[in-house]
Amino acid sequence: MEQIEKARRFAALHRGEAPLVLYNAWDTGSARAVAAAGAEAIATSSWAVAAAHGYEDGQAIPLALVEQIVGRIAASLDLPLTVDFEAGYAEDDDLLAANVARLLALGVVGINFEDRITAGTGLYEPRRQAGRIAALRRAADAMGIPLFINARTDLFLGGEDEPAALLDAAKDRAETYRDAGADGFFVPGLVDDELIGALCTACPLPVNVMVAEGGSLLARLAGLGVARISFGPAPFLAAMHALEATARAACGRLGKA
């Protein structure tokens, strides 16, 4: 499947009654396992990719290494691939555009792009972040790829304000980001059903929430109008916990032999 078709297919998965569920991967092996489970698309988690290679989150892992990891995933699977691009590894808009072009050249069709200032504190002012999103859109358009830009806001991860008090600010950011060329709106940290439903009703973009477990929660979120559900670092943590448990059991048996 060619890249443009994958991009269009990926965008279409954000419509309809059933949310797109993304069980985030961190390398080719995990991506293959997720694909074998019947996933419609593959998504990476920046936290998991970094942790799997000995780095902290927050763009500590070199972009060149991210490219190698993402490139192997894209080359190994014929599914749409969206990458957690963090804040794009750049402050300058031209460098930002060049960085996303590097991912697009690998076959990527979607990105998460956050408004947290990685090299500082707080969030980008909405208009500044809109300019950054516009730079990404121009770069993708220049390559002829309908890149799905999932604009992430970290408003609900600050912990200083009540989530209800931030809802209007989130709606305003969603509108500003949409006008700049974003296709989706990602709100990690927002977990209250009533607020999620209110945002889904008012938001001009498909809403993405992050969860740590599935089951009945997925159906509940679908009923609230959520278009996309991702698991972030939860799959990596579950896999590492399982590995540690089985390794401990194996090493314990070996020690007693």
Side-chain angles (χ1 to χ4, degrees):
M1 187 189 308
E2 68 174 40
Q3 189 175 6
I4 293 176
E5 183 182 348
K6 285 182 181 178
R8 291 172 177 162
R9 176 181 169 189
F10 184 66
L13 292 173
H14 294 76
R15 306 293 185 268
E17 298 178 356
L20 169 63
V21 177
L22 296 172
Y23 202 71
N24 300 74
W26 55 92
D27 60 11
T28 302
S30 58
R32 282 176 169 166
V34 171
E40 296 179 288
I42 300 298
T44 65
S45 156
S46 65
W47 192 100
V49 170
H53 294 85
Y55 293 92
E56 297 294 325
D57 195 22
Q59 299 184 165
I61 183 173
L63 180 57
L65 179 52
V66 173
E67 286 182 84
Q68 292 180 36
I69 296 164
V70 168
R72 287 307 309 151
I73 296 173
S76 300
L77 294 169
D78 193 29
L79 285 174
L81 172 62
T82 183
V83 171
D84 190 339
F85 194 37
E86 300 195 70
Y89 284 78
E91 292 290 333
D92 177 76
D93 287 358
D94 289 339
L95 181 55
L96 184 61
N99 286 348
V100 80
R102 290 161 65 176
L103 293 186
L104 289 170
L106 298 172
V108 170
V109 301
I111 58 170
N112 286 353
F113 185 61
E114 64 192 51
D115 55 14
R116 180 175 296 280
I117 302 173
T118 305
T121 59
L123 308 183
Y124 285 103
E125 186 273 331
R127 290 185 181 178
R128 174 66 189 116
Q129 183 67 359
R132 289 163 56 77
I133 291 170
L136 297 174
R137 177 55 63 205
R138 288 192 297 270
D141 288 348
M143 295 180 68
I145 306 299
L147 175 69
F148 192 100
I149 301 174
N150 196 34
R152 166 177 160 166
T153 184
D154 280 9
L155 275 172
F156 299 100
L157 292 175
E160 298 177 359
D161 298 297
E162 288 295 325
L166 298 170
L167 201 59
D168 286 342
K171 294 173 185 176
D172 289 343
R173 282 185 181 261
E175 292 176 359
T176 301
Y177 297 169
R178 185 249 345 243
D179 293 344
D183 302 286
F185 192 54
F186 184 22
V187 286
L190 185 62
V191 297
D192 180 87
D193 280 12
E194 183 177 353
L195 296 180
I196 290 173
L199 182 61
C200 289
T201 298
C203 186
L205 293 170
V207 173
N208 176 192
V209 299
M210 186 167 66
V211 300
E213 58 184 36
S216 61
L217 175 61
L218 301 186
R220 194 170 82 232
L221 291 171
L224 295 173
V226 172
R228 172 169 166 173
I229 300 170
S230 51
F231 282 75
F236 173 80
L237 292 170
M240 294 305 102
H241 289 159
L243 177 59
E244 180 182 347
T246 54
R248 182 178 293 111
C251 292
R253 285 195 295 271
L254 181 62
K256 296 176 180 178

